[in-house]
Amino acid sequence: MQDAIKLTCLTCGQANRFPFAKLEAGPKCAKCGVLLIGGDVTDLDDLQHDKATRADDLPLIVDYWAPWCGPCRTMAPEFAAAAKALRLSTRFAKIDTEQFPTISQRLQIRGIPLLILYAKGKEVARLSGARPAAGIESFVRQHL
Ligand code: ZN
């Protein structure tokens, strides 16, 4: 276990550092005050996406989705439930690939919904297709 944790704020992009012991207390962003680990799914834009996937001390799972995609909308509450369950080990975020098409081009995303798990600034694994919360949780646990 490390002594300090570095986490990018998924809302404003601020790089935060705090002692590992504060993890469960619900650390907040030094700049904008949002909870860094709140068990919520944060909506990313392209800039926050790139910052957050680069090098954080907690793994991040991103849901690549679009408003027109029915299975994506079906999976949203499942993804949110998994985010609560894995609150202290993994952060959850999503990005609208219709609004930010350059992201899907760069990552060569051909079908959505697609989940990509990142750890230490690297892509660890992908899971495509809509999944129940339990399936998302076991996917994350299996790769960390
Ligand atoms: Zn912030």
Side-chain angles (χ1 to χ4, degrees):
M1 290 267 164
Q2 319 106 298
D3 298 334
I5 288 203
K6 182 168 77 66
L7 276 187
T8 304
C9 174
L10 298 179
T11 303
C12 76
Q14 168 79 20
N16 290 273
R17 276 187 90 81
F18 57 88
F20 187 81
K22 282 184 77 180
L23 189 65
E24 284 194 56
K28 289 184 178 152
C29 174
K31 190 173 169 192
C32 75
V34 301
L35 281 175
L36 291 170
I37 304 169
D40 293 325
V41 178
T42 310
D43 243 313
L44 300 177
D45 64 20
D46 49 355
L47 287 176
Q48 312 300 19
H49 173 278
D50 287 351
K51 279 188 182 171
T53 55
R54 208 174 289 148
D56 269 347
D57 284 334
L58 275 193
L60 173 77
I61 185 165
V62 182
D63 174 12
Y64 298 84
W65 76 291
W68 50 261
C69 159
C72 297
R73 294 197 306 270
T74 307
M75 188 173 72
E78 301 293 324
F79 193 66
K84 292 263 183 288
L86 296 174
R87 187 173 71 87
L88 294 177
S89 68
T90 307
R91 293 201 296 170
F92 280 60
K94 60 180 178 164
I95 185 163
D96 179 346
T97 56
E98 188 179 36
Q99 202 180 346
F100 302 104
T102 52
I103 294 275
S104 9
Q105 282 160 18
R106 179 152 45 86
L107 295 171
Q108 301 185 318
I109 294 171
R110 294 193 178 82
I112 53 171
L114 174 74
L115 303 179
I116 301 184
L117 180 65
Y118 298 90
K120 302 279 175 199
K122 290 203 182 93
E123 178 177 329
V124 175
R126 293 187 179 204
L127 183 69
S128 59
R131 309 284 169 146
I136 297 166
E137 283 178 51
S138 62
F139 165 73
V140 171
R141 291 211 167 94
Q142 175 190 339
H143 288 98
L144 295 179

